[in-house]
Amino acid sequence: MSTATVSAVMNDTAFVSPVLRARVVTAIRELRYEPSLAARNLRRSRSQLIALAVADLSNPFYARIVWSAEAAVAAWGYSLVLFNSDEKPDTERRILSRIRTLGCDGMVLVPVGAANQYQPHEFDGMATVLLGRAIEGNSADTVTIDNREAGRQAVDYLLDLGHRRIGSITGPMQLSTSKGRLDGMIDAMAARGLAPQPGHVRSGEFREEAAYSVARDMMGSPDRPTAIYVANGVMAIGVMRAVADLGLRCPQDISIASTDTVAGAGGLKPRLTRTEHPIADMTNEALRLLVDRIEERVSEPVRSIVFQPALIVGESCMPLGRNAG
């Protein structure tokens, strides 16, 4: 029995007589033969590996992305290789080199650098989808949320409650997420003839401890804001801690709204008002676009998918007239 006959039976690629097929199947069972995925991928010039490089694995937001991605890649017959850049562009640069060395078929990347740190065709030669954050002028497919709308929705809600002295704790301003959410806040306030006061917009670096420190400083000032918009869920935890440590109450003394929350934050008191990403849908869409590129099912030069945020009203905001601040 030839190797060609065995291959035809295993892959159902050619006619094999019933008698000969039965002999092959019996031999496979007796020998407990398992086909070599590595050999098959070598013939196809594919590794069946997809890289996922996230910005900060200590942030539960990215743990939810990883969970969604693992299920999605398995459904498409791929394996996931995970990397964490820890919001450091130098680390990301090493990760990109490592991904190419491993021969991954494609990657989903949450970029951490400024746009000018990437070449316009940085990701040519490897199927790539940017997730959550865009790089202006880059040629990769992108799946994001409407960050400007996320900031606008949250701050509009605070304005509707009567707040006018609204502060914000942002992420690093070289990131599209940080800039978009702050732009949305400024849009919402400008539409009512308002603007943030000097010192009321500060960077918390998308880190809990940095946001804690900034919030303590902001809320310790005589003209502290009556409400704060926090640009991500991890920083919101830091802000809530700062409120408690200063002996203030949320929302009686200060209202807090954020974009996104973190796993377990549902147990916080009060429950956080926030604009949320559809994380699973965004991750699945990013991987769908990526597999399309890997398997050459699309010809469009660049695709950009933008999801809309949803406002989730919790108990962390109060009308200004009932606020002691």
Side-chain angles (χ1 to χ4, degrees), residues 48-54 65-74 77-83 104 106-108 283 287 290:
Q48 297 302 112
L49 298 176
I50 286 176
L52 171 62
V54 299
I65 288 178
V66 172
W67 183 86
S68 298
E70 284 181 328
V73 298
Y78 290 83
S79 297
L80 191 69
V81 185
L82 179 63
F83 298 90
C104 294
M107 69 174 166
V108 173
T283 304
L287 285 160
L290 185 66

Side-chain angles (χ1 to χ4, degrees), residues 40-296:
R40 180 180 296 174
N41 290 340
L42 185 62
R43 289 194 297 273
R44 297 170 63 194
S45 299
R46 293 218 187 115
S47 65
Q48 297 302 112
L49 298 176
I50 286 176
L52 171 62
V54 299
D56 179 9
L57 269 178
S58 69
N59 182 339
F61 175 87
Y62 292 110
R64 291 156 70 194
I65 288 178
V66 172
W67 183 86
S68 298
E70 284 181 328
V73 298
W76 277 304
Y78 290 83
S79 297
L80 191 69
V81 185
L82 179 63
F83 298 90
N84 174 36
S85 67
D86 198 32
E87 298 282 9
K88 298 172 182 174
D90 288 346
T91 300
E92 180 183 80
R93 183 63 53 189
R94 290 193 293 273
I95 287 170
L96 295 179
S97 177
R98 178 64 175 155
I99 288 170
R100 290 186 173 92
T101 300
L102 287 172
C104 294
D105 294 329
M107 69 174 166
V108 173
L109 172 68
V110 180
V112 301
N116 61 10
Q117 294 177 282
Y118 303 92
Q119 298 299 318
H121 300 282
E122 179 87 28
F123 307 111
D124 285 5
M126 174 176 287
T128 301
V129 176
L130 306 180
L131 176 58
R133 300 172 180 175
I135 300 173
E136 187 175 353
N138 204 271
S139 59
D141 293 334
T142 305
V143 176
T144 60
I145 195 171
D146 188 335
N147 287 290
R148 196 166 192 143
E149 177 65 10
R152 187 196 65 76
Q153 282 185 9
V155 175
D156 261 343
Y157 181 74
L158 294 171
L159 290 164
D160 288 344
L161 293 176
H163 295 279
R164 296 296 179 265
R165 208 163 63 241
I166 301 173
S168 181
I169 298 179
T170 74
M173 291 312 298
Q174 77 270 18
L175 300 178
S176 63
T177 43
S178 304
K179 184 178 184 305
R181 292 170 197 178
L182 179 59
D183 285 347
M185 172 188 180
I186 291 170
D187 288 348
M189 296 188 74
R192 308 196 196 200
L194 303 169
Q197 293 185 17
H200 283 185
V201 176
R202 304 274 297 277
S203 175
E205 303 171 14
F206 280 159
R207 304 281 194 179
E208 180 180 340
E209 290 306 319
Y212 172 87
S213 176
V214 167
R216 280 194 67 117
D217 185 57
M218 188 185 295
M219 290 185 291
S221 65
D223 65 339
R224 65 178 172 84
T226 64
I228 297 178
Y229 166 58
V230 190
N232 84 348
V234 162
M235 292 196 300
I237 301 299
V239 174
M240 298 282 266
R241 284 176 45 219
V243 168
D245 287 354
L246 286 169
L248 300 173
R249 299 165 300 163
C250 173
Q252 293 90 340
D253 299 315
I254 188 158
S255 291
I256 299 171
S258 76
T259 288
D260 272 325
T261 184
V262 296
L268 285 178
K269 300 297 181 184
R271 216 165 34 89
L272 196 61
T273 291
R274 71 270 184 195
T275 49
E276 281 204 347
H277 292 59
I279 295 176
D281 290 345
M282 290 175 65
T283 304
N284 289 337
E285 183 66 8
L287 285 160
R288 185 189 69 79
L289 295 183
L290 185 66
V291 172
D292 279 352
R293 289 289 185 201
I294 292 169
E295 300 183 358
E296 300 177 347

Side-chain angles (χ1 to χ4, degrees), residues 16-29:
V16 179
S17 71
V19 173
L20 188 52
R21 180 179 291 275
R23 288 175 55 200
V24 172
V25 171
T26 298
I28 288 171
R29 287 174 179 165

